[in-house]
Amino acid sequence: MSTTRRAFLQGMTATASTIAFSACSQEQGRNPTGLSETALAVEPVINPASLEKPNLTVGFVPVNDCAPFAIAWEKGFFRKYGLNVTLSREASWANSRDGIIFGRLDASPVVSGAVTNARIGAEGARQFPLCAAMTIHRHGNAITFNRKLWEAGISPLSIYRGDLDAFGRAMRQYWQTASIDDRVWATVLSSSIYEYFIRYLLSAAGINPVTELRSIITPPPQMVSNMRMDAIQAYMVAEPWNTRAIAGNEGVGFTFAQGREIWNGHPDRLLAVRESFIQDYPKTYRSLVKAMIEACRYCSEPANREEVAKIISQRSFTGANVKYTRPAIVGNYNYGGFDNQQRITNSLETTIFFEMPTAVSEIANDHSTFLWQSQSLWLMTQAARWGQIPEFPKNAEAIARQGWRTDLYREIAAEMGIVSPADDYKVEPASAFADRQSFDPSNPIGYLSNFAIRANAPQSFFFA
């Protein structure tokens, strides 16, 4: 058995073992318990007795975007809106999604794509009427490459200055002598925006991700350890698991690109619930969304971001050192590298919780928590592109309307004095995408026909 193959199998075993350990840890008290003095001092503006279901179990995954959940807990925003929330730390994004579907969780964040793809049954997924009325954040994720790719001459995406062909040539040159075991890239969930981003970027560089790549699914906390064991050569995940990998920290990789360099303004996490939850507990749902919007606004304030980074580093949330959580929250983001040079970008756009910088959106009253149904259509184009569904759905607009509840968000936000965009659809400009190809939601079929590289039946490999 080759060394790389042995390392890959060891990585599979290590990951399976750690997932089991994470699940056990959940039962042994990793979840936040006991409200802070700040939260207890908050006087509810909504009487819990007026809500259909004031006691909720809400999931989160130990990555930076648990920040609004941590803040809603620590600052008493759940309590303010009459809710008694139990936060449940989930071992993976599949657990977070399935916890809602099977009724273990009342609500939980899900990777962008999970709501849409549950409704269309992408890649044979269990079909289920998931809903979301808001995003948790935009951006805050990245692609990490290992040291082998660095030593092969692969640079961070920005170095290529938009020349994706040059990146593609460099990658193909490395893969000419690399075994299939050196082409293993990981994402956090199949049929998700992270998987689409990796495929989108490689195909834009002239590389067919279906025939030239092995795609596996790995929970976020296991990305770094699997890269250290050479079980994977690249991964896409939310922070802090990219920052943790760079030289000066774990030293196993470097950030190749932030997700915002692939699609500037993309939605990352959505607050998902069952459709029946909205129908059965409408007052409770409004309270939950209000608490989360307020938490997102708190996280968005520059003056609060240092505190937010410290709070989510607590063992009950990410359990990661604040030096890992801080860069993507505060905005001084280091791409790393193995030449003793710092590659730092200073921008609050690294993670967007509420306020939308004009460089991301110039639309009046746009803000991060507002869902654009047109972006749900983009996700469906990718499911069709990669053969996860037979064709782009003929009722795509109805699916987007049912799953991404923009109508409800506008009502709830208006009750908080927040004005939202009047439209549900917008054109994504060419400047927003790495390949400079715009997306017009009025012509999704035409958009799909522009892609030379497609797949009929992509194959994913899953850790047991």
Side-chain angles (χ1 to χ4, degrees), residues 45 79 122-123 130 139 159 169 248 283-284 302-303 320 332 348 361 366 369 376 403 423 425 446:
V45 298
R79 177 179 168 87
E123 210 169 34
L130 288 180
H139 302 168
I159 301 300
R169 286 192 299 271
K283 294 180 182 178
T284 301
N332 59 337
L348 290 177
S361 176
D366 195 8
T369 48
S376 178
D423 297 323
Y425 294 82

Side-chain angles (χ1 to χ4, degrees), residues 355-403:
E355 299 295 340
M356 291 283 270
T358 54
V360 179
S361 176
E362 296 182 346
I363 296 174
N365 303 314
D366 195 8
H367 41 273
S368 178
T369 48
F370 178 79
L371 279 176
W372 290 93
Q373 290 178 13
S374 53
Q375 294 181 340
S376 178
L377 296 185
W378 184 88
L379 291 163
M380 284 186 250
T381 68
Q382 300 309 295
R385 178 183 183 184
W386 300 115
Q388 295 171 344
I389 52 177
E391 61 181 359
F392 186 80
K394 292 181 174 60
N395 62 336
E397 291 187 12
I399 293 170
R401 185 169 57 251
Q402 293 162 355

Side-chain angles (χ1 to χ4, degrees), residues 61-363:
V61 176
V63 292
N64 272 15
D65 49 72
C66 75
F69 298 90
I71 290 300
W73 172 272
E74 293 282 338
K75 299 299 177 180
F77 296 143
F78 289 134
R79 177 179 168 87
K80 177 178 177 179
Y81 291 100
L83 299 172
N84 175 34
V85 168
T86 298
L87 288 179
S88 174
R89 179 181 169 121
E90 301 299 308
S92 70
W93 287 110
N95 281 21
S96 189
R97 176 200 60 198
D98 293 347
I100 306 167
I101 291 174
F102 294 107
R104 181 173 56 82
L105 302 174
D106 294 300
S108 195
V110 296
V111 179
S112 187
V115 169
T116 299
N117 288 337
R119 285 183 168 268
I120 62 179
E123 210 169 34
R126 175 188 173 93
Q127 287 192 269
F128 192 85
L130 288 180
C131 288
M134 65 176 290
T135 62
I136 299 301
H137 73 103
R138 295 175 186 269
H139 302 168
N141 51 64
I143 298 173
T144 290
F145 282 179
N146 71 352
R147 185 162 189 158
K148 282 184 180 179
L149 289 170
W150 174 273
E151 292 173 347
I154 309 296
S155 303
L157 182 61
S158 60
I159 301 300
Y160 297 98
R161 298 184 180 278
D163 188 350
L164 294 178
D165 288 337
F167 161 60
R169 286 192 299 271
M171 184 60 72
R172 280 193 297 273
Q173 184 176 357
Y174 171 67
W175 277 353
Q176 281 176 359
T177 58
S179 71
I180 190 63
D181 289 335
D182 283 329
R183 301 185 189 185
V184 183
W185 291 20
T187 56
V188 298
L189 187 69
S190 180
S191 307
S192 69
I193 197 168
Y194 288 10
E195 182 184 49
Y196 296 154
F197 273 2
I198 283 178
R199 292 178 174 182
Y200 190 97
L201 185 63
L202 286 176
S203 58
I207 297 172
N208 190 327
V210 177
T211 60
E212 300 188 52
L213 182 70
R214 294 181 67 182
S215 176
I216 64 172
I217 309 304
T218 306
Q222 306 314 313
M223 294 293 193
V224 174
S225 60
N226 277 281
M227 180 167 282
R228 183 185 298 110
M229 291 184 292
D230 202 27
I232 55 178
Q233 287 69 54
Y235 60 75
M236 186 167 193
V237 71
E239 291 296 336
W241 306 109
N242 300 287
T243 293
R244 185 164 187 165
I246 66 172
N249 293 335
E250 298 287 342
V252 299
F254 68 100
T255 297
F256 173 69
Q258 292 186 51
R260 67 190 181 105
E261 296 173 67
I262 303 171
W263 177 11
N264 191 35
H266 70 271
D268 190 295
R269 303 283 185 254
L270 312 183
L271 178 65
V273 295
R274 298 180 298 280
E275 188 175 81
S276 61
F277 184 92
I278 297 174
Q279 296 166 348
D280 296 342
Y281 315 116
K283 294 180 182 178
T284 301
Y285 183 69
R286 292 177 110 80
S287 279
L288 177 61
V289 172
K290 286 178 180 179
M292 292 306 299
I293 291 175
E294 191 157 342
C296 287
R297 296 182 84 173
Y298 189 97
C299 292
S300 183
E301 287 294 326
N304 297 335
R305 291 196 176 216
E306 292 280 4
E307 178 194 21
V308 170
K310 292 177 182 176
I311 288 174
I312 64 173
S313 69
Q314 295 175 14
R315 186 173 183 271
S316 294
F317 297 112
T318 68
N321 191 300
V322 71
K323 74 175 183 177
Y324 304 144
T325 61
R326 183 181 182 276
I329 297 293
V330 175
N332 59 337
Y333 190 82
N334 188 0
Y335 284 65
F338 296 97
D339 55 1
N340 297 317
Q341 294 185 30
Q342 288 191 325
R343 294 172 174 80
I344 295 176
T345 58
N346 292 291
S347 174
L348 290 177
E349 295 170 26
T350 305
T351 308
I352 303 175
F353 290 106
F354 189 81
E355 299 295 340
M356 291 283 270
T358 54
V360 179
S361 176
E362 296 182 346
I363 296 174

